[in-house]
Amino acid sequence: MSAPAAPLVLGIETSCDETAVALVDRAGCVLGHKLRSQIAEHEPYGGVVPELAARAHLVHLPRLTRALLAETGIAPEAVDAVAATLGPGLIGGLLVGAGFGKALALAWGKPFLGINHLEAHALTARLPGLAAPPPSFPYLLLLVSGGHCLFVAVEGPGRHVVLGRGLDDAPGEVFDKVAKMLDLPWPGGPAVERLAREGDPRRFALPQPLKGRAGCDCSFAGLKTAVATRLAECPPAERDAHFAADLAASFQEAVAAALADRARNALARFREEWPEGESFVVAGGVAANAAIRAALAAAADKAGLRFLAPPPALCTDNAVMVAWAGIERLRAGAAGDDLALPARPRWPLAAPAA
Ligand code: KG4
Ligand code: ZN
């Protein structure tokens, strides 16, 4: 193996229910990565239990990091910086990752980088090797996850202009709630997508909130209620064999169409205000959904922008994106953050770290 291209960064992600560590270099080479999902811990509760999440991060993060270093053969001296997610997210997990990352940086005498989780999602598509050439700044980003729905003009690390946001439930949250209504396992997104594959998306006419309205804010609470109403209208004994799959497919189609409708407005504004921009990037857990990717790709195509979506494993939470965000910040001239920089449960994308 050739020597890593400096800087080589250790990334740490503990903001929600994935404990993850990764070693990534400037060339985008992932020297190694480890990810332990906590699905088994939280599944019985139908959602993430913050206290259990923090405890699991505390148990597994040191073990995963030791294994990562041992398996890659990378010595601490060869690591140029330690990057850990500082927010937004669940504070218990953030404190574990931040404390661990800061301790390593201090012990190894390396810079510490406190990473905004949303920015890590936002920059993932620029990881060399994913798309040739990687999207250059500025690009339009749609970040769709369990907690967020944001249209953003990404101008560079730390330089983001929010064009539109979710007004109520985030798309991933609605996938999770609809899955619960359909008695599917948690997390709901992948389960709904699997079931929807067997269903007819035209069977149920569901609302596409804000369709046709100006701007690119998003709303999904009404769609969630509409699914609940369809279920309430048809008691289990009266449902045919395709009922659940058709409802899942109709719901997924409505989310995809609503996002594509909002994306059309965002694309038009982006083209007008950032005429040099060439790409439309989708990121975050919900971006793993194939139907949603296809609807957004079509919208980008119509607007004449290149469409990019990281592979599904890099859309959902991971540490590769955290390490890469650290590299982007180093390349932009960052020297490292103060170890006193606190973890932040709320940290809007456009706000500075301090
Ligand atoms: O980005 P992420 O891993 O964590 C957050 O930062 O929120 O996103 C998790 C969300 C969950 O709500 C999950 O159900 C959803 O992304 N998700 C999906 C799919 N895979 C994950 N939603 C729809 N389709 C999928 N294939
Ligand atoms: Zn995320």
Side-chain angles (χ1 to χ4, degrees):
M1 190 177 71
S2 56
L8 170 63
V9 172
L10 172 69
I12 299 172
E13 163 59 37
T14 56
S15 69
C16 192
D17 60 333
E18 266 94 20
T19 314
V21 284
L23 279 165
V24 180
D25 76 1
R26 182 198 172 106
C29 176
V30 179
L31 285 90
H33 67 105
K34 299 263 165 207
L35 186 145
R36 180 188 178 276
S37 159
Q38 300 175 1
I39 288 176
E41 279 98 326
H42 303 298
E43 221 280 310
Y45 305 94
V48 180
V49 182
E51 178 67 22
L52 294 183
R55 286 169 189 241
H57 289 309
L58 196 54
V59 169
H60 297 287
L61 182 57
R63 177 179 71 73
L64 292 175
T65 307
R66 189 176 292 136
L68 177 73
L69 293 171
E71 285 170 28
T72 54
I74 297 288
E77 303 83 62
V79 176
D80 295 297
V82 179
T85 301
L86 277 195
L90 300 172
I91 190 64
L94 291 171
L95 286 171
V96 172
F100 187 74
K102 288 174 182 178
L104 279 187
L106 193 62
W108 293 350
K110 306 288 178 175
F112 170 77
L113 295 158
I115 301 296
N116 180 308
H117 180 88
L118 305 177
E119 173 157 74
H121 276 303
L123 297 173
T124 307
R126 281 172 47 82
L127 195 72
L130 289 189
S136 53
F137 300 122
Y139 54 83
L140 177 66
L141 167 81
L142 169 59
L143 174 52
V144 267
S145 68
H148 293 88
C149 187
L150 290 171
F151 282 102
V152 185
V154 181
E155 297 181 324
R159 292 171 51 216
H160 310 282
V161 182
V162 176
L163 307 181
R165 61 180 70 251
L167 301 177
D168 43 47
D169 305 32
E173 197 181 340
V174 175
F175 264 95
D176 292 337
K177 286 178 180 163
V178 165
K180 208 173 214 170
M181 294 179 209
L182 293 172
D183 287 325
L184 298 175
W186 177 86
V192 170
E193 181 172 23
R194 267 194 306 277
L195 183 61
R197 266 185 223 131
E198 298 152 27
D200 174 6
R202 284 156 312 192
R203 173 158 171 196
F204 297 98
L206 295 171
Q208 289 164 30
L210 300 180
K211 186 169 186 208
R213 301 265 191 96
C216 56
D217 285 339
C218 300
S219 164
F220 291 98
L223 176 57
K224 176 190 69 184
T225 307
V227 172
T229 306
R230 292 291 187 286
L231 283 162
E233 284 167 354
C234 188
E238 290 172 24
R239 293 175 197 166
D240 60 60
H242 300 287
F243 184 92
D246 291 349
L247 190 54
S250 302
F251 160 72
Q252 181 175 269
E253 182 80 359
V255 176
L259 285 172
D261 174 72
R262 308 282 77 205
R264 276 188 284 278
N265 289 352
L267 283 157
R269 180 169 164 200
F270 179 72
R271 292 213 60 177
E272 202 168 300
E273 292 183 33
W274 288 268
E276 70 279 31
E278 293 169 348
S279 311
F280 176 33
V281 170
V282 63
V286 180
N289 185 287
I292 290 171
R293 290 159 86 103
L296 295 170
D301 206 41
K302 269 218 172 94
L305 259 68
R306 181 175 167 225
F307 178 73
L308 294 159
L314 289 178
C315 285
T316 47
D317 290 349
N318 64 86
V320 173
M321 69 179 191
V322 178
W324 178 251
I327 292 171
E328 290 264 23
R329 284 193 50 207
L330 290 173
R331 288 172 58 185
D337 290 319
D338 196 318
L339 290 179
L341 201 62
R344 300 174 63 180
R346 296 177 66 82
W347 184 359
L349 187 57

